[in-house]
Structures are given as C-alpha cells and as structure tokens.
Amino acid sequence: MLQVADLIERVRGYQPGADVELIRRAYDYSLKAHSGQMRKSGDPYFVHPASVAGIIAELRLDTASICAGLLHDVVEDTLATTKDIEREFGAEIATLVDGVTKLSKINFVSKEDRQAENFRKMVVAMARDIRVLLVKLCDRIDNMRTMEHMKPEAQERISRETMEIYAPLANRLGMAAFKLELEDLAFRYLEPDAYGELVTQIAKSQRERDKYIADVSKTLASRLAEQGFAVDVTGRAKHLYSIWRKMRAQEATLDQIHDAIAFRMLVESVGDCYAALGVVHSKWVPVPGRFKDYIALPKPNMYQSLHTTVIGPGRERIEIQIRTHEMHRVAERGIAAHWKYKERGGGGIADSDAEKFGWLRQLMEWQKDLKDPAEFLEGVKVDLFQDEVYVFTPKGDVRAFPRGATPIDFAFSIHSAIGEKVTGARVNGKLEPLRYRLKSGDVVDIVTSSGQHPSKDWLDIAGTTRARAKIRNFLRAEEREKSHKLGRELLERELHKAGVSMNKLFKNDAEFGRVLAALKLQSQEELLIAIGYGKTRPEDVLAIIAPPAQEGAPSSAAPAELREGRLAGFVRKISGKDEGGIRLSGIDDVLVRYAKCCNPLPGDDILGFITRGRGLTIHRRGCSKAFDTDPDRRVEIGWDAKAKINRSVQLRVVTANRPGILATVGQTFSAQGINLSEALCRAGDDGRAINVFTFPCSDLDQLKVVMRALQKVQGVVAVERG
C-alpha cells in the first residue's frame, strides 16, 4: 500500500510548494473512514484510494486532485457526506469528490439508466472542472488493474463500460498511455479466450520480434546520427487490443498482420521531424497512402506527430512515428501535460489550451438537448469517439467530424435552421447530395432550400449526435402534433357517441381532473397525445366519467385495472395462447413484434415501443434504431420468467478457406444441440470464407455458449452476432 510519506515525496517532486499537510489530513481521514472495509481480494479497501492518489501524482496534478483521489469513495461507501468533506477540506475538494461520486442512492428504472445518469452527472461536473474526469480515469485504471477477484458478470459489465466510455475519453484527452492500458485490460475480460490465445502466440515469437526491433532501432539511430540528428529511437509491438482489432478487420491470423510493430523517433525540433522523415523514406520505400501529418494538422486532443509506414527489413511493414520530445510528453499525458499551477495552489488549463477541448462544451449541449439518459449515452458512444475527418469552410476554418459524416452534419454544426433546410453541398466546387461522406481536406459550402425539411431517412444519413438529435426533435414535434390531432378526433368521436360534450368535459375542472388523476396524466395535451399514440384508449376516458350501469360491470374506481383486463383479454383472444413472452405492467403475453434490426433474445436487455395498430415493438436496449423512436412511446418491459421462445438468430463466422472447415463448424453447432435452418457461405480471394448461419435459439446464454465453442475451432477467425 502506498504510504503517505511516499505520496508526499512524489508530489513535492513536481510541486515543491504543495500543501502537504492537506494531503496528510485527507490520507488519514480516508484511512479512518474506510477502516474495516475490505476489497474482494481480501486487501484493506483503503489500498484502492491510496493507489488512485498515486496514479494522480504520476500525472503531476495539483493538491486538490490528490486529495480528491484519496477521498473519492468516502461519500459513496461510508457515512461521510459531501457537506462533511466541504467542512473538513473546503469547497474545491468537495466539488471534485461530488463530481466523481456515483449516484448510488437514486433508484433508476434499470442499470443502463443508472450508468447513463452517472455519466451525465460526470459530464456536467467535468465541463466545470476537467479534474473530475482525470480523477475518474485514475479510479478506473486502478479498478481495472485489480479486477481479477470479481465475478465474471461484473468483470464483463465494467470492462464493456471501460471500452465504450473511459478508454475513448482518455483518447479524447490525449492520454495515450491510459487509453492503451484501459483497452488491453478490458479486452482481457471481454474476450478472455481470444486474449489468452493472442498472448500465447505473441510469446512464442517474442525473441525474434525483440531482435527485429533492436536491429531496426539501431539502423534508424545510426542512419540519423550520420546526418547529424540527435535522436532517441524505440520500438515496440502494438498493444494487444490493437493487434486483435486488425486481425478481425482484415480477417487474418497473427502471422498475416504485417504492421504489428511500431517505432518512435524523438528529435529536437519540428524542422528535424520533417528532415528525419526524408532520411527514413530514402532508406526504405514508403507505403502509399499511409503518411499522416499530425504536426501541421494536430488532432483535437492536441496530439502531434508524423506517421509513415514503410517496407522495412525482411519486407515487413513497419510504422514509424516522428515527433519532438515535447510532442511526446503531450502524447503520453495529454491534457495533464498542459496543467498550469497557480501561485496559491490549485491549477488549471491555460486558456489557449482549453479552447482545444471544445468537445466538452459539446457534451454539455448534448446533455441538455437529449433528455433521455440512454439516448444521451448512446450518442456519446457513437459520435464522440470515432475517427475523425477534417474539412474546411469556404473561409478556410477547420471543422472536425466523425468519419462517415455528411453535409447534414456540417449544416447542423452551423445552425439548426440551416440544418433543417439543407439540400446538399458544394464540395470542392462540385455539387454533392446529402449522402456524400465528407473526406479530410474537403472544402464544404452548404446549399439550402426554403421548401426543405428533415425526414426520417435523414437519421440513416446523419453521422453526428448533434444532427441526429435535432432531426429527432423535429420529427417528434411533427409526430406529436399529428398524434394530438388524431387523439382529439378519436376522443371527440367516442364521447359524441355517448352524448358527452368534449369541450364541456375539458372546462369542468373537477371532472376532467378526475380523468387525468385516474389515467396518471398531467394535462389535456398529454391525454390527447396518449390517445393519438395508442397508449390510452378513448373508451377509458368514457369509463371514468360515465361508468357502465350494468350490475357487476367494472366501476370507474379502477380504470387501470379495466384497461389491463381489456388489453390482456384482447391479446389472449388474438393470440389464442397463454404461454409467457413479454411482461408489461403485470400483464404477460402482450401482442408484440420483434425488431429485425437487432433480433432480441430472452436474456437481452430490451425496450418496448408502442406502435399504433401493431402493439409493442421490441428492441435490444442500445440498438441505434431504438433511439429513432419517440421517448414518449417507450415503455419499460422485461422477459416473462415463463417465457419459452425460440427466436431465429444469425451468426457471422469468418473462417480460413480450407477443406473440412465447414464440416467442423457444422459439427460444433450439432454438439451444442443446434439445428441450422439456413447457411450462406461465400469464399473470398484472400483465403477467407464468410459464413452466415441462421438457427433457432432459446436465450442469450445459449447463444454465448455457441459463440464461445465456435471461437475455439481451429481456423475460425471471427464470430459475430447478426
């Protein structure tokens, strides 16, 4: 365990004037607060906050950040409150601790909503003070390093969150070392078989690879020394997750990955970077299309370097990165390398550097626009963490967009009013349609028309969260207006048949208030929209204000039960069966249709969407198509415990194209008790075969077992769910 004296020594090494007594008090306070608490490993719990503080010190952050690392779990896991922290350590440290603290005391509908709200809270806090995110990343690094004692389900859940959120955030902050370590640690738990096999394969060729790296490094260093350059050359194999991604993308084995080794050259100046590049290209032939100049055009996270791929010794492809020592410091530590200390302790990002982190403000805008927490989180995953392209406005300003962005995204980035009227764009002087994919270096001039407006097709074209959110808002407003009008017509027709005036009902505050209370709605508008959507029936309103007079008929005192009884009876009458399926508000066997875009299985986390005339449409939670629907139509549902459903699913299995492999794969399915209903097999020119197998599956657990069995087959390169 990191001792307080060692921690203080580290901090004094980069900030001699640090308030060491404050650090000592925070250390003692946290140690006492966590007294008696143990980790899964059996170690005292305080080992964790002490380690987090040590990692923060490695980033060379200020005293307040060190104290926040020591105290970050105190509010969540002990009786101490944020007020207690503020009283003992001041408002600054209390704010940092509160920003990192999870929302553990709020009841959410699902784990996904809890995760999304936790992230939303952190976004708000980190937009005010980036140290919140830096402390959280250090917390996540230590948790991932010490996760071997947790249950497999927890390991998978935390690793997926790490891969989807925290590793990309580290990348956005320019913290390459954190990103690579988080990805490798998450890979270990998300794909344990692939991870273990890759580690074994790499270990077998370790000696040859080390010799190759040493020889190439020596050649590069001597060649540049001859030209008068002071240079440091290092080489390394790319990290495991990166290699595995290449293997999957190229559908290749480890032996067929040619650029798995990267070399880094550190020189004295920017001019030396370009001169050194010339020396490298004169020695080895560069691979066309693989040169990138991130010095002239830095990445949004301030990363700068020259990248080139050349054909090195032994005809091997090797990647070479050339940068200055200062560029390397920024590449490794990212935003933390730009931390400026103030005279009275504390610290901050220089204004010139803070401007480069505009994506934080973008996150703040999204969390305001996207009220649904799951939609917000999905938007962040899809948009913020993709590879980027850099395009120019007609005035020469640079704008960054995720790869795959279109003129729609460009238009909405300027203003919503322009986005809603966009018809295309002049790209490099040529008129291009809305579906055109922007490329780095494009000069884009948006074309609009007063008669244009967003359509549902735009959701499939737009690539950014901002654009998709604005399009959804437009379509939902349009849909709500139509549903409001339809709901009014349906209710008026039903009431007219019973001789009741709708206008008089609305003006009778007592009577109409009784209707709203019984249906758990807030306003006339909500009622009419609910009827238009199909969530509420006009007959239910009539049953409340004019209950049936027959003896034994349902009374107005229980409209909810009346609705449930009618719905359940209606569903069973149509379906003709009582076998369990989906459960909604205590009603099982609801009339449902399963979305083909994501093919949900029992065991998947799911969401239901009311579709007028077609009952419930079921999506897997997180399906991108699910977020195109109106949140007002969304209902929380779950699988009935009695469910006995065999759903048709697809697996895409990429294999080596060799005799007998298809028979082996077929035997693997058969060994798992799977009867294939369809198989589409196509051999490529690259020695690979792509096979799509369709079969009935009972639940998610069975599917996972089948996928793991297939991944172990010799010659199988990748297994993916369709």
Side-chain angles (χ1 to χ4, degrees):
M1 182 171 70
L2 181 64
Q3 299 299 316
V4 66
D6 297 329
L7 177 60
I8 289 173
E9 184 179 353
R10 288 188 194 180
V11 176
R12 275 182 168 160
Y14 62 87
Q15 192 186 7
D19 187 346
V20 296
E21 280 308 310
L22 187 63
I23 295 175
R24 196 184 304 276
R25 285 201 295 118
Y27 188 99
D28 292 340
Y29 187 96
S30 181
L31 178 60
K32 183 177 180 181
H34 290 296
S35 176
Q37 295 180 351
M38 308 297 285
R39 303 197 80 188
K40 300 282 187 185
S41 62
D43 295 328
Y45 188 86
F46 180 69
V47 169
H48 170 60
S51 298
V52 171
I55 298 170
I56 294 171
E58 291 172 11
L59 289 179
R60 304 166 71 89
L61 295 183
D62 60 356
T63 303
S65 301
I66 301 291
C67 292
L70 289 167
L71 300 166
H72 77 276
D73 275 338
V74 166
V75 174
E76 182 179 349
D77 294 338
T78 76
L79 297 176
T81 65
T82 306
K83 291 285 187 185
D84 295 333
I85 301 298
E86 183 174 356
R87 186 167 52 252
E88 291 287 334
F89 301 100
E92 182 183 18
I93 292 174
T95 300
L96 293 178
V97 171
D98 183 58
V100 180
T101 300
K102 297 175 183 175
L103 303 183
S104 57
K105 297 177 182 177
I106 298 178
N107 293 318
F108 292 101
V109 174
S110 66
K111 289 181 180 178
E112 289 73 21
D113 283 344
R114 180 187 296 276
Q115 179 197 49
E117 279 299 335
N118 283 336
F119 185 66
R120 186 195 289 270
K121 182 183 181 188
M122 191 177 70
V123 163
V124 174
M126 76 187 191
R128 297 194 191 106
D129 194 326
I130 193 64
R131 289 175 294 177
V132 169
L133 180 52
L134 296 178
V135 173
K136 183 62 182 178
L137 284 172
C138 293
D139 172 44
R140 182 52 60 112
I141 279 276
D142 188 65
N143 279 329
M144 292 298 296
R145 287 173 179 174
T146 57
M147 205 163 57
E148 65 270 16
H149 299 286
M150 299 187 73
K151 293 181 179 178
E153 305 82 43
Q155 290 174 340
E156 182 177 352
R157 173 177 54 80
I158 295 170
S159 296
R160 192 162 303 285
E161 183 181 70
T162 297
M163 189 71 82
E164 292 179 349
I165 296 175
Y166 292 102
L169 273 173
N171 182 53
R172 268 297 185 141
L173 291 174
M175 303 167 71
F178 271 36
K179 170 190 179 281
L180 299 182
E181 183 175 0
L182 286 172
E183 285 182 341
D184 275 356
L185 289 169
F187 173 43
R188 173 185 175 185
Y189 294 107
L190 289 175
E191 300 287 347
D193 293 337
Y195 178 89
E197 185 176 346
L198 188 56
V199 168
T200 302
Q201 290 179 11
I202 287 178
K204 289 178 181 177
S205 57
Q206 184 73 43
R207 182 176 299 178
E208 294 85 354
R209 186 168 55 257
D210 287 347
K211 183 179 185 304
Y212 186 86
I213 290 173
D215 291 344
V216 172
S217 297
K218 183 178 179 181
T219 300
L220 282 170
S222 60
R223 184 83 175 195
L224 285 157
E226 290 171 6
Q227 302 296 322
F229 291 101
V231 61
D232 292 335
V233 181
T234 56
R236 59 172 178 81
K238 292 186 176 179
H239 70 298
L240 294 173
Y241 180 64
S242 174
I243 294 174
W244 182 71
R245 282 182 61 188
K246 282 181 178 289
M247 290 170 62
R248 294 190 68 183
Q250 299 174 17
E251 298 172 358
T253 62
L254 179 61
D255 294 338
Q256 295 169 317
I257 300 297
H258 299 297
D259 53 350
I261 298 176
F263 293 86
R264 182 178 299 129
M265 298 166 54
L266 303 184
V267 294
E268 297 298 317
S269 67
V270 172
D272 286 354
C273 289
Y274 290 99
L277 177 70
V279 173
V280 171
H281 283 180
S282 68
K283 172 66 177 174
W284 292 309
V285 177
V287 177
R290 294 299 301 271
F291 169 68
K292 295 176 182 176
D293 187 345
Y294 294 119
I295 294 179
L297 196 63
K299 290 186 177 183
N301 60 15
M302 299 184 290
Y303 175 88
Q304 289 184 288
S305 186
L306 297 178
H307 289 197
T308 186
T309 300
V310 298
I311 306 298
R315 304 297 297 169
E316 288 287 338
R317 285 189 178 197
I318 55 176
E319 181 184 290
I320 299 176
Q321 302 169 359
I322 308 171
R323 63 183 73 142
T324 66
H325 291 275
E326 174 60 18
M327 290 175 188
H328 181 61
R329 188 174 73 90
V330 173
E332 290 298 296
R333 295 178 54 219
I335 195 172
H338 290 258
W339 199 259
K340 306 296 181 186
Y341 292 103
K342 299 173 185 176
E343 290 183 4
R344 299 186 179 181
I349 303 297
D351 292 340
S352 59
D353 293 330
E355 292 175 2
K356 298 174 184 177
F357 289 88
W359 59 272
L360 281 173
R361 292 191 299 275
Q362 200 173 47
L363 274 182
M364 280 293 288
E365 290 178 14
W366 293 344
Q367 72 90 21
K368 291 175 184 174
D369 291 342
L370 303 177
K371 302 301 182 185
D372 180 65
E375 185 178 346
F376 168 64
L377 184 60
E378 183 64 22
V380 170
K381 292 176 185 176
V382 169
D383 190 16
L384 188 59
F385 308 136
Q386 292 185 358
D387 292 337
E388 290 179 304
V389 295
Y390 304 90
V391 299
F392 297 89
T393 67
K395 293 182 179 180
D397 297 329
V398 179
R399 289 179 181 259
F401 292 95
R403 192 170 299 280
T406 65
I408 291 177
D409 302 297
F410 192 102
F412 274 105
S413 75
I414 300 171
H415 196 280
S416 297
I418 294 176
E420 290 175 3
K421 301 299 181 184
V422 61
T423 57
R426 286 188 180 86
V427 181
N428 306 322
K430 180 184 175 184
L431 195 62
E432 298 287 358
L434 293 178
R435 290 185 178 274
Y436 175 81
R437 301 294 177 184
L438 301 177
K439 302 179 181 65
S440 287
D442 283 346
V443 179
V444 183
D445 189 9
I446 294 298
V447 179
T448 61
S449 169
S450 58
Q452 179 75 304
H453 60 80
S455 68
K456 199 168 185 179
D457 293 340
W458 285 22
L459 291 169
D460 295 326
I461 301 173
T464 63
T465 293
R466 177 184 175 86
R468 290 174 65 84
K470 296 296 183 183
I471 295 166
R472 285 186 185 123
N473 287 343
F474 181 92
L475 296 176
R476 288 167 182 170
E478 194 174 50
E479 192 172 355
R480 283 174 69 86
E481 188 177 336
K482 290 179 182 177
S483 294
H484 186 279
K485 183 179 179 181
L486 177 60
R488 177 179 286 276
E489 292 175 358
L490 293 174
L491 180 59
E492 190 170 23
R493 186 187 308 162
E494 187 68 24
L495 294 178
H496 179 72
K497 287 193 295 185
V500 177
S501 168
M502 186 171 72
N503 289 333
K504 287 184 179 180
L505 171 63
F506 288 164
K507 291 177 181 178
N508 187 331
D509 293 341
E511 187 73 359
F512 189 59
R514 193 161 63 87
V515 172
L516 293 179
L519 296 175
K520 298 180 180 178
L521 297 170
Q522 301 298 319
S523 65
Q524 172 187 318
E525 183 182 27
E526 274 194 26
L527 172 63
L528 296 178
I529 290 173
I531 292 173
Y533 279 164
K535 295 179 76 171
T536 300
R537 302 191 312 156
E539 294 93 323
D540 298 336
V541 177
L542 187 61
I544 296 167
I545 62 175
Q550 295 95 333
E551 185 177 349
S555 71
S556 61
E561 287 81 355
L562 173 67
R563 294 200 312 279
E564 290 186 1
R566 287 176 176 174
L567 178 58
F570 173 71
V571 169
R572 289 189 174 86
K573 184 176 180 181
I574 288 181
S575 63
K577 62 188 180 71
D578 289 318
E579 189 176 346
I582 299 296
R583 178 169 291 277
L584 164 66
S585 301
I587 314 168
D588 58 4
D589 201 20
V590 177
L591 187 63
V592 300
R593 54 194 293 268
Y594 297 93
K596 294 182 179 179
C597 53
C598 55
N599 285 323
L601 279 174
D604 282 323
D605 289 326
I606 52 176
L607 280 175
F609 298 89
I610 292 176
T611 308
R612 186 167 184 82
R614 290 190 288 179
L616 281 176
T617 300
I618 311 302
H619 287 267
R620 277 161 52 193
R621 191 184 293 271
C623 170
S624 60
K625 293 291 184 184
F627 296 112
D628 293 344
T629 61
D630 193 324
D632 287 344
R633 294 193 178 201
R634 193 174 304 165
V635 289
E636 288 294 333
I637 57 176
W639 297 100
D640 194 313
K642 302 178 294 181
K644 298 177 181 177
I645 302 173
N646 265 345
R647 298 270 303 127
S648 183
V649 296
Q650 287 186 338
L651 283 182
R652 180 177 181 271
V653 183
V654 180
T655 67
N657 185 21
R658 59 175 175 77
I661 184 68
L662 192 57
T664 305
V665 170
Q667 289 170 2
T668 304
F669 276 108
S670 179
Q672 300 300 321
I674 297 296
N675 183 30
L676 295 175
S677 53
E678 186 178 8
L680 298 175
C681 307
R682 177 172 55 85
D685 298 330
D686 57 353
R688 296 282 172 267
I690 299 175
N691 314 280
V692 179
F693 299 101
T694 305
F695 57 93
C697 188
S698 60
D699 56 34
L700 186 60
D701 288 339
Q702 184 185 22
L703 183 64
K704 286 182 177 179
V705 169
V706 174
M707 292 178 71
R708 282 195 291 267
L710 289 169
Q711 287 167 345
K712 293 178 180 177
V713 173
Q714 187 78 25
V716 169
V717 177
V719 181
E720 297 175 348
R721 183 173 176 180

